[in-house]
């Protein structure tokens, strides 16, 4: 009887052990699956910083010790826009890594945020071609930016001068020549309804070489003057001087190329070009048609 009593108890114990093992295994698997599902369904942790790197489009650009790179996280949905935070580098070292932290409470999910980048390097400004959206509206918190050089004020003036030269074909033109011992001179004066806009003077001095000067005017005032010195007519210029002034007479374009080297005009050289431009305008504006 004891054997018969023990046997069922032993079998029951085994059965319970088997069920427990099965439940333990199944429970562990179910728990792991639930945890995986929970983790998969959870949103990614909210960003606490905008990070990335900045590089230059022209990797060979020389960055001066005084160069300054400024990165700004900006809410552009606000009017005016609001800067959340920014980071400066003086000078930057490219590729430049950045880390711009912010408080989660400072970010409005419905707003549009952009990362703005600007570098001042001597007299040149660098920007990204487009503003980089970040954080909200499915935009990333980590981005890589490329800075592109903007034309300087002097380059913009010189480009406008070149465009003005191309428009002289639609203007009325008066030409003339003069000569004296050891020197001959020729000129062309281009005018429109506004008056004299462009003058080209050429002076040939057999013993001193050939000089070609182009003067452009705005509102009857000197705007740009370009003077080239050559050993003879048609030869490559040995020296080129360029000067340009804004509406207030401030020197904007200031360049001298001589012997393959590019530098700036002295104050005296810039003033000489300005005086020559004024004198040429007065000389030819007095001439009768």
């Amino acid at each position: 009887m004891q054997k018969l009593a023990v046997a069922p108890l032993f079998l029951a114990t085994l059965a319970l052990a088997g069920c427990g093992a099965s439940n333990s295994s199944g429970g562990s698997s179910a728990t792991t699956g639930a945890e995986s599902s929970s983790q998969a369904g959870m949103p990614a942790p909210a960003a606490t910083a905008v990070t990335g790197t900045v590089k230059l489009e022209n990797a060979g650009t020389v960055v001066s010790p005084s160069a300054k790179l400024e990165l700004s996280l900006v809410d552009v949905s606000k009017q005016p826009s609001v800067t959340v935070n920014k980071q400066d580098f003086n000078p930057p070292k490219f590729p430049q890594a950045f880390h711009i932290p912010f408080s989660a409470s400072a970010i409005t999910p419905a707003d549009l945020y952009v990362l703005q980048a600007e570098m001042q390097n001597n007299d040149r400004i660098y920007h990204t071609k487009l503003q980089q959206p970040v954080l909200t509206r499915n935009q990333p918190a980590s981005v890589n930016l490329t800075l592109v050089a903007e034309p300087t004020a002097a380059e913009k003036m010189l480009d406008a001068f070149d465009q003005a030269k191309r428009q002289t074909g639609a203007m009325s033109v008066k030409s003339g020549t003069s000569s004296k011992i050891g020197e001959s001179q020729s000129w062309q004066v281009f005018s429109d309804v506004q008056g004299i806009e462009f003058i080209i003077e050429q002076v040939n001095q057999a013993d001193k070489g050939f000089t070609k000067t182009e003067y452009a005017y705005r509102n009857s005032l000197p705007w740009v003057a370009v003077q080239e010195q050559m050993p003879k007519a048609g030869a490559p210029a040995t020296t080129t001087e360029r000067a340009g002034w804004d509406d207030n007479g401030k020197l904007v374009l200031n360049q001298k190329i001589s012997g393959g080297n590019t530098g700036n005009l002295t104050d005296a050289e810039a003033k000489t070009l300005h005086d020559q431009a004024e004198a040429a305008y007065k000389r030819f504006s007095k001439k009768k048609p």
Side-chain angles (χ1 to χ4, degrees), residues 226-248:
V226 177
Q227 189 168 84
E228 296 178 304
Q229 301 286 346
M230 315 166 196
K232 62 180 181 179
T238 54
T239 300
T240 300
E241 297 181 347
R242 299 185 178 107
W245 303 268
D246 64 14
D247 294 339
N248 298 316

Side-chain angles (χ1 to χ4, degrees), residues 42-247:
M42 289 178 61
T48 58
V50 175
T51 61
T53 59
V54 183
K55 68 177 182 178
L56 292 171
E57 183 179 53
N58 182 0
T61 299
V62 177
V63 180
S64 72
S66 62
K68 179 180 179 181
L69 170 64
E70 182 176 283
L71 298 165
S72 302
L73 175 60
V74 181
D75 184 345
V76 293
S77 295
K78 300 286 193 299
Q79 295 297 326
S81 60
V82 175
T83 299
V84 178
N85 201 2
K86 64 180 183 177
Q87 187 175 23
D88 297 340
F89 299 93
N90 306 85
K93 296 181 180 179
F94 295 101
Q96 177 65 65
F98 62 87
H99 181 277
I100 305 174
F102 57 84
S103 169
S105 62
I107 303 300
T108 303
D111 284 0
L112 176 63
Y113 294 84
V114 299
L115 183 62
Q116 298 176 345
E118 177 178 302
M119 182 175 75
Q120 175 84 42
N121 186 30
N122 294 324
D123 60 347
R124 191 178 297 280
I125 299 293
Y126 295 75
H127 287 111
T128 54
K129 290 182 178 179
L130 298 172
Q131 290 189 335
Q132 174 64 56
V134 291
L135 297 177
T136 59
R137 305 187 186 186
N138 296 320
Q139 297 300 327
S142 182
V143 293
N144 297 317
L145 306 178
T146 300
L147 293 178
V148 179
E150 298 284 341
T152 64
E155 289 170 340
K156 291 178 181 178
M157 179 176 281
L158 191 57
D159 182 62
F161 170 76
D162 290 335
Q163 293 182 36
K165 283 200 299 184
R166 291 193 288 270
Q167 296 172 2
T168 56
M171 299 179 186
S172 61
V173 57
K174 292 182 289 186
S175 303
T177 60
S178 67
S179 62
K180 59 183 180 181
I181 297 175
E183 180 181 297
S184 62
Q185 185 180 42
S186 64
W187 61 84
Q188 290 179 300
V189 181
F190 299 86
S191 305
D192 58 16
V193 293
Q194 304 298 324
I196 294 175
E197 298 289 339
F198 212 86
I199 298 173
I200 300 176
E201 281 190 310
Q202 298 183 108
V203 179
N204 192 357
Q205 296 174 300
D207 57 340
K208 295 182 180 179
F210 186 86
T211 303
K212 178 181 178 181
T213 310
E214 298 174 329
Y215 303 109
Y217 302 87
R218 283 188 173 174
N219 301 318
S220 303
L221 297 173
W223 173 45
V224 175
V226 177
Q227 189 168 84
E228 296 178 304
Q229 301 286 346
M230 315 166 196
K232 62 180 181 179
T238 54
T239 300
T240 300
E241 297 181 347
R242 299 185 178 107
W245 303 268
D246 64 14
D247 294 339

